[in-house]
Amino acid sequence: MLTLSHIRKTFNPHTATEKTVFSDLSLHLAPGEFVTIIGSNGAGKSTLFNAIAGSFLLDGGHVVLDGKDITFLPEYKRATQIGRLFQDPLKGTAPSMTIEENLSLAYLRSKRRVASFGISARERTYFREKLSTLGLGLEDRLTTKVGLLSGGQRQALTLMMATLVTPKLLLLDEHTAALDPATAEKVLELTRKIVEENKITCMMITHNIRSSLELGTRTLMMDNGQIVLDLSGPQREGMTVPRLLELFKEASAQELDNDRILFS
């Protein structure tokens, strides 16, 4: 489904602030895989998502999605195939627009639909049905402006928007990190349900090592722009948090220095 072949990226080349993020990174995801990604701050996790989403051009290598080379495809065109959630609940929605207006914009990602004036009764019914699956009562608040929602409600809505038209790939960039523990658990459970029911190929960055081992089918650990650990199958099923930290130290010759991760 997704293949990264020997990607390279250096920011600000030939300057005092030159920084090489990826020197030769390769990765393959099979259709329907749910991959969790952990690592210290600055390991390259979010930059990896930016490379996949097309936020910048690579210096070398290729990005192939569902058999199509999208290496030079603009970000806005990739957005029709790639859904993405960010850590900040304020991103991904238009706060001054209503819930149904935001959902209508997300629905436009479908190639089978063109922009039209207003929201039809059929679309409104569809939106209400989809929102009811969240269990948050948002189906009865279609005309409420999104800016009035809580962080958890907004992030759940953003998740729904990103998957309303099933994407080929879903990128979750610490999408529960800004939420309180109870709300974060609710959003994670919704994430698990939506990804499994729609068989979505998914990558999720998380600061919680335990969640990285419990969610999904595969866990990657990054350090200095490289994938230093790749766990799946029986090895992942029997993995513990202390043992994973030991493996990271062995693979990278350093301690995991992100306190948010260590004490999650």
Side-chain angles (χ1 to χ4, degrees):
M1 172 56 72
L2 174 69
T3 299
L4 307 179
S5 300
H6 307 288
I7 65 171
R8 295 183 289 106
K9 181 62 182 180
T10 296
F11 291 102
N12 307 316
H14 312 301
T15 70
T17 57
E18 175 179 310
K19 180 174 178 58
T20 297
V21 183
F22 305 122
S23 57
D24 184 14
L25 187 146
S26 295
L27 175 67
H28 176 73
L29 270 64
E33 259 196 307
F34 187 164
V35 178
T36 58
I37 305 174
I38 52 178
S40 300
N41 290 333
K45 305 182 299 296
S46 293
T47 309
L48 176 64
F49 276 17
N50 287 336
I52 295 169
S55 301
F56 53 76
L57 289 177
L58 295 170
D59 298 332
H62 294 275
V63 180
V64 177
L65 181 65
D66 196 22
K68 180 180 179 182
D69 192 326
I70 62 170
T71 307
F72 299 104
L73 199 67
E75 184 173 19
Y76 76 93
K77 288 189 176 180
R78 297 192 201 190
T80 63
Q81 308 172 64
I82 300 174
R84 188 173 184 182
L85 269 72
F86 298 88
Q87 177 177 339
D88 186 354
L90 299 179
K91 287 187 176 181
T93 55
S96 62
M97 298 176 68
T98 65
I99 290 175
E100 64 178 16
E101 288 170 341
N102 273 269
L103 287 169
S104 182
L105 289 176
Y107 201 38
L108 286 173
R109 290 194 311 155
S110 172
K111 295 180 181 179
R112 298 183 298 275
R113 188 175 186 273
V114 296
S116 59
F117 293 102
I119 300 171
S120 69
R122 182 177 180 180
E123 290 169 348
R124 190 168 283 113
T125 298
Y126 176 63
F127 295 159
R128 186 174 286 111
E129 290 174 352
K130 297 294 287 185
L131 286 170
S132 67
T133 65
L134 299 179
L136 299 174
L138 296 180
E139 65 274 15
D140 298 321
R141 302 178 61 185
L142 288 178
T143 57
T144 298
K145 290 188 176 181
V146 172
L148 299 177
L149 302 181
S150 68
Q153 290 173 327
R154 192 160 181 170
Q155 203 67 310
L157 175 63
T158 306
L159 178 62
M160 177 61 66
M161 290 170 61
T163 57
L164 193 62
V165 177
T166 305
K168 292 182 177 179
L169 178 67
L170 179 62
L171 303 177
L172 306 173
D173 193 347
E174 294 197 80
H175 68 305
T176 63
L179 307 177
D180 65 83
T183 304
E185 188 62 32
K186 175 69 173 177
V187 173
L188 280 177
E189 185 54 39
L190 288 172
T191 300
R192 187 202 308 264
K193 178 182 177 182
I194 290 173
V195 169
E196 287 182 356
E197 289 182 351
N198 294 280
K199 297 179 173 59
I200 299 172
T201 305
C202 178
M203 301 176 73
M204 183 183 82
I205 296 172
T206 177
H207 62 275
N208 190 311
I209 294 182
R210 192 171 302 281
S211 291
S212 76
L213 295 173
E214 293 175 349
L215 285 170
T217 58
R218 181 178 173 191
T219 297
L220 305 179
M221 182 172 274
M222 294 188 66
D223 179 59
N224 196 29
Q226 295 292 324
I227 296 171
V228 296
L229 287 173
D230 188 344
L231 305 173
S232 60
Q235 184 187 24
R236 181 178 186 265
E237 291 171 8
M239 187 60 59
T240 63
V241 172
R243 178 54 183 156
L244 186 56
L245 293 174
E246 289 177 8
L247 289 175
F248 174 80
K249 184 177 181 180
E250 293 171 7
S252 63
Q254 63 177 321
E255 299 280 357
L256 191 60
D257 62 1
N258 188 337
D259 287 344
R260 276 199 311 162
I261 288 179
L262 288 173
F263 298 106
S264 290

